[in-house]
């Protein structure tokens, strides 16, 4: 199935950029689409760095020559436009420059002054913008100010691609809720593992590298207790393209308390979500590591309680996105309860002889889902789905 994003794009941005630092352009040289693609590629340097602010890129072009580019810096620091302006070579005049920005310049004071004021004070005559900012403090106001000052403003160049890259940012602005994403690798039959829970390796190196890029894109990663015990996953970003800004905060979903008997050091920095009733049966466990879910393991409200518990925890930065990496029981629980907002599904050609329905994902897309992207990583097929608003 073909996605609505342009070929070569996904919910992570330019797909080749997640594997290589120098992807080839997909659009004719020096067109608006070409330069906006460059701005989008630049914005990916902010993945894992700018959250909860969106990853934004800005490229300044004079004629057919790029003069500067920039991307959103760490949370509360410079936005893409200011980063690009700081890199303009000394003595460069801006009267014939076009600014390509992947998100509407902000028009309000936050931790940084309004980027639209920077453009208004400059002689830059033309600004090309991919996506409008959904923040109610902006939401078209920046564009109105630019046009009122006599600037030429072009809109919606690679709009869908810019919005997809920042899907959690746009989604949280419309719902005021954390975005939850499912990711899994399956055989053509839909099984994630064989009868005994063995799953290595269903997909190839490129699929795994792309997954690692996703890990730094999302704030928090969760696996089920069985997956943790079987695979001892690291859930790091080691194999994707640079820069590597962060490894995600890592959790294990363990309502039955399977991990309570393990030494704390074997948890390797993971935090564990356990049913409150199970946790109450064990004394002396660390409250910093084991987090109570306020329902029993067999409660019909387990999925909702799990999501609400994790969403309510205190993090270093505001929590915007959570990726569920498995296993099948956890994914089926959340899919069945309608608690996932987007999906990254990898289908490899690996086939196991002994299979069990317990290791199969019971999900078929319906009209409430939209296919965003479809891409081949060698023999693997990636499909990405987004829950419609």
């Amino acid at each position: 199935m073909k996605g609505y994003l342009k070929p070569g794009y996904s919910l992570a941005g330019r797909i080749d950029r997640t594997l290589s630092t120098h992807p080839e352009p997909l659009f004719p040289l020096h067109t608006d689409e070409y330069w906006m693609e460059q701005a989008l590629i630049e914005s990916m340097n902010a993945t894992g760095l700018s959250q909860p602010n969106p990853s934004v890129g800005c490229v300044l072009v004079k004629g057919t020559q790029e003069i500067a580019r920039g991307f959103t810096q760490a949370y509360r620091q410079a936005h893409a436009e200011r980063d690009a302006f700081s890199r303009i070579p000394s003595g460069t005049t801006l009267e014939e420059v076009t600014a390509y920005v992947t998100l509407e310049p902000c028009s309000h004071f936050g931790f940084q002054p309004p980027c639209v004021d920077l453009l208004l004070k400059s002689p830059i005559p033309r600004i090309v913008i991919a996506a409008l900012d959904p923040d109610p403090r902006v939401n078209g106001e920046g564009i109105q100010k630019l046009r009122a000052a006599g600037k030429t403003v072009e809109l919606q160049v690679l709009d869908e691609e810019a919005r997809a890259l920042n899907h959690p940012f746009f989604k949280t602005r419309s719902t005021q809720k954390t975005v939850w994403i499912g990711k899994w690798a399956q055989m053509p039959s839909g099984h994630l593992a064989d009868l005994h829970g063995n799953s290595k390796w269903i997909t190839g190196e490129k699929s795994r590298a792309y997954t690692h890029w996703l890990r730094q894109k999302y704030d928090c990663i969760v696996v089920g207790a069985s997956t943790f015990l079987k695979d001892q996953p690291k859930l790091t970003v080691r194999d994707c393209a640079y820069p590597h800004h962060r490894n995600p905060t890592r959790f294990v979903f363990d309502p039955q308390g399977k991990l309570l008997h393990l030494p704390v050091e074997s948890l390797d920095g993971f935090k564990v979500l356990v049913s409150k009733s199970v946790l109450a049966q064990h004394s002396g466990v660390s409250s910093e590591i084991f987090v109570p879910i306020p329902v029993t393991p067999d409660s019909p409200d387990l999925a909702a309680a799990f999501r609400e518990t994790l969403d309510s925890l205190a993090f270093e930065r505001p929590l915007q996105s959570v990726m569920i990496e498995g296993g099948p029981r956890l994914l089926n629980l959340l899919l069945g309860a309608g608690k996932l907002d987007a999906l990254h599904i990898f289908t490899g050609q690996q086939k196991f002889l002994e299979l069990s329905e317990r290791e199969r994902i019971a999900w078929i897309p319906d009209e409430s889902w939209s296919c965003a992207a479809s891409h081949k990583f060698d023999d693997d097929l990636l499909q990405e789905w987004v829950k419609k608003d």
Side-chain angles (χ1 to χ4, degrees), residues 61 128 155 175 264 311 336 353 355 374:
V61 179
V128 181
L155 302 176
T175 65
V264 169
D311 286 353
L353 296 178
L355 299 175
S374 181

Side-chain angles (χ1 to χ4, degrees), residues 322-341:
V322 175
M323 184 163 78
I324 309 298
E325 278 215 38
R329 283 169 287 283
L330 173 55
L331 286 162
N332 280 326
L333 173 70
L334 294 170
L335 285 165
K339 298 301 180 183
L340 296 180
D341 306 296

Side-chain angles (χ1 to χ4, degrees), residues 315-383:
F315 289 82
E316 184 177 349
R317 304 186 209 173
L319 181 65
Q320 193 174 77
S321 57
V322 175
M323 184 163 78
I324 309 298
E325 278 215 38
R329 283 169 287 283
L330 173 55
L331 286 162
N332 280 326
L333 173 70
L334 294 170
L335 285 165
K339 298 301 180 183
L340 296 180
D341 306 296
L343 305 173
H344 304 278
I345 307 172
F346 296 84
T347 302
Q349 298 307 305
Q350 174 74 278
K351 295 179 181 179
F352 297 123
L353 296 178
E354 296 181 292
L355 299 175
S356 167
E357 284 302 295
R358 293 176 317 203
E359 304 295 336
R360 187 173 184 274
I361 294 293
W363 179 80
I364 298 175
D366 57 25
E367 64 278 358
S368 68
W369 291 89
S370 178
C371 184
S374 181
H375 183 79
K376 289 281 286 186
F377 290 106
D378 295 331
D379 292 332
D380 302 336
L381 174 65
L382 166 68
Q383 285 192 321

Side-chain angles (χ1 to χ4, degrees), residues 79 81-82 85 94 101 104-110 112-124 127 129 137-138 141-149 151:
H79 292 181
E81 297 91 331
R82 293 189 180 277
F85 268 68
L94 303 179
V101 191
E104 176 185 358
C106 61
S107 57
H108 65 284
F109 281 90
Q112 294 289 317
C115 292
V116 71
D117 289 354
L118 185 67
L119 293 167
L120 288 170
K121 292 175 182 177
S122 80
I124 290 178
I127 298 94
I129 298 168
R137 296 170 296 179
V138 186
E141 184 178 64
I143 293 166
Q144 292 174 11
K145 287 185 174 182
L146 291 169
R147 285 176 169 166
K151 309 279 189 182

Side-chain angles (χ1 to χ4, degrees), residues 8 62 83 86 88 90 109 114 167 173 203 233 276 283 302 330 342 380:
K62 191 170 187 177
D83 187 44
S86 73
I88 297 173
S90 178
F109 281 90
H167 175 255
R173 286 300 183 276
T203 54
K276 183 178 181 179
S283 60
L302 179 61
L330 173 55
D380 302 336

Side-chain angles (χ1 to χ4, degrees), residues 63 153 162 226 262 323 336:
V153 181
S226 295
L262 296 180
M323 184 163 78

